[in-house]
Amino acid sequence: MIEISTLPAPKESATLPEFNTETTPLEPTDIRLQPAYSVNEAARLLWLNPSTLRSWVAGRDYPAAGEQRRFRHLIVPPSGGPVSLSFINLVEAHVLSALRRQHKLDLGKIRQALDYLRLEMGSERPLVEHRFETDGIDLFVEHLGHLVAVTAGGQTTMREMISSYLTRIEWGRDGLATRFFPFTRTNMNANDPKMIVVDPVLSFGRPSIRDTGISAEIVAERYQAGESVDLLSSDYGCGRDQIEEAVRCALALAA
């Protein structure tokens, strides 16, 4: 049986892609904008409560002072049909979850800070741009700091926490998110292995073993059917640690 223990992270390539100084607007047909995940699927990938994620992408009504009020969505999902998320939405929710998990920041104030970023950076989706990793975080934290009056130490902690979540994202040459490495452990440590990837052009955007396209779910199904890690490693031409991580990820999501 697989021991649920921390595996060493694979070494990252020292070669980084060159980015445009200005991001390229996405075409409506870009695969990253297409509906791909139900709210429940996305919530499992992000370790979020489905009702929380639904309110972020669809809004919700709530009672206040004896009347019904409306919470506007923070993430703009693909239009038409049931509420679902695109790959871009998935990455946006990943970054937002950092702010909510660690600092319990008011969503209205987060919305104001994001609006400020859109004004300063000229982007409708700043959370999925490479620029957010550079000047964007500082602008966001600075503006949010004024809104919620966090201490200087709190601002530093916030910046480090956001940065740690951004290490799970890869950007393409157009400056926009192209791949996402979901957390596979409940502690959601930035140093968790990046063996499992969500890539919109591989395995229909479902978690797969990095750079192979091998579905984590299929690997886990074979493992649960009684096939050994060694057999699966041989069949797929992957290391044992990759097979173990695929099973760990798929079983965690199923649970």
Side-chain angles (χ1 to χ4, degrees):
M1 295 296 292
I2 293 176
E3 294 293 330
I4 305 300
S5 59
T6 301
L7 298 174
K11 292 183 179 180
E12 299 293 328
S13 171
T15 303
L16 297 176
E18 295 180 2
F19 297 102
N20 294 333
T21 54
E22 297 294 332
T23 55
T24 304
L26 290 176
E27 294 292 334
T29 55
D30 193 299
I31 193 172
R32 290 171 288 181
L33 291 178
Q34 306 312 307
Y37 310 93
S38 70
V39 171
N40 286 340
E41 287 175 323
R44 287 196 296 272
L45 275 170
L46 300 170
W47 300 84
L48 285 170
N49 185 304
S51 62
T52 296
L53 183 57
R54 179 174 292 277
S55 71
W56 291 1
V57 298
R60 62 181 172 83
D61 294 320
Y62 64 95
E67 61 182 12
Q68 285 291 104
R69 296 184 181 177
R70 181 72 180 171
F71 169 79
R72 288 191 299 111
H73 57 70
L74 283 156
I75 296 171
V76 181
S79 59
V83 176
S84 59
L85 285 80
S86 66
F87 171 78
I88 289 293
N89 295 151
L90 192 70
V91 176
E92 290 174 313
H94 167 73
V95 179
L96 283 176
S97 69
L99 300 169
R100 291 293 287 166
R101 284 186 208 279
Q102 302 294 328
H103 288 273
K104 311 297 183 186
L105 295 173
D106 179 79
L107 289 173
K109 294 188 171 29
I110 291 175
R111 189 197 312 279
Q112 291 179 54
L114 288 177
D115 287 343
Y116 173 78
L117 272 190
R118 293 184 181 103
L119 177 65
E120 292 297 315
M121 294 173 59
S123 167
E124 282 302 307
R125 299 181 185 275
L127 297 180
V128 293
E129 290 188 358
H130 178 248
R131 283 188 294 168
F132 185 71
E133 191 181 40
T134 54
D135 59 329
I137 300 179
D138 288 328
L139 284 171
F140 181 85
V141 171
E142 177 187 1
H143 189 65
L144 193 61
H146 290 306
L147 289 170
V148 299
V150 297
T151 65
Q155 289 188 25
T156 300
T157 300
M158 191 185 304
R159 192 193 193 289
E160 291 175 350
M161 177 268 300
I162 297 173
S163 296
S164 73
Y165 269 62
L166 291 176
T167 64
R168 313 297 298 185
I169 301 167
E170 279 188 7
W171 284 267
R173 296 184 187 280
D174 62 359
L176 296 167
T178 55
R179 300 204 299 176
F180 165 56
F181 299 92
F183 290 113
T184 56
R185 292 162 170 76
T186 55
N187 63 355
M188 289 174 280
N189 189 307
N191 294 320
D192 279 358
K194 295 181 183 177
M195 297 181 191
I196 303 302
V197 66
V198 173
D199 186 325
V201 302
L202 294 176
S203 298
F204 302 99
R206 267 53 188 177
S208 63
I209 298 176
R210 180 177 186 168
D211 299 331
T212 69
I214 298 168
S215 167
E217 182 180 5
I218 292 175
V219 173
E221 287 175 355
R222 291 184 59 180
Y223 175 77
Q224 287 186 300
E227 298 185 57
S228 70
V229 170
D230 286 332
L231 175 60
L232 293 170
S233 176
S234 175
D235 278 0
Y236 289 119
C238 295
R240 284 179 54 91
D241 55 350
Q242 291 174 297
I243 296 299
E244 291 175 351
E245 191 69 5
V247 172
R248 181 181 292 109
C249 175
L251 296 184
L253 294 177

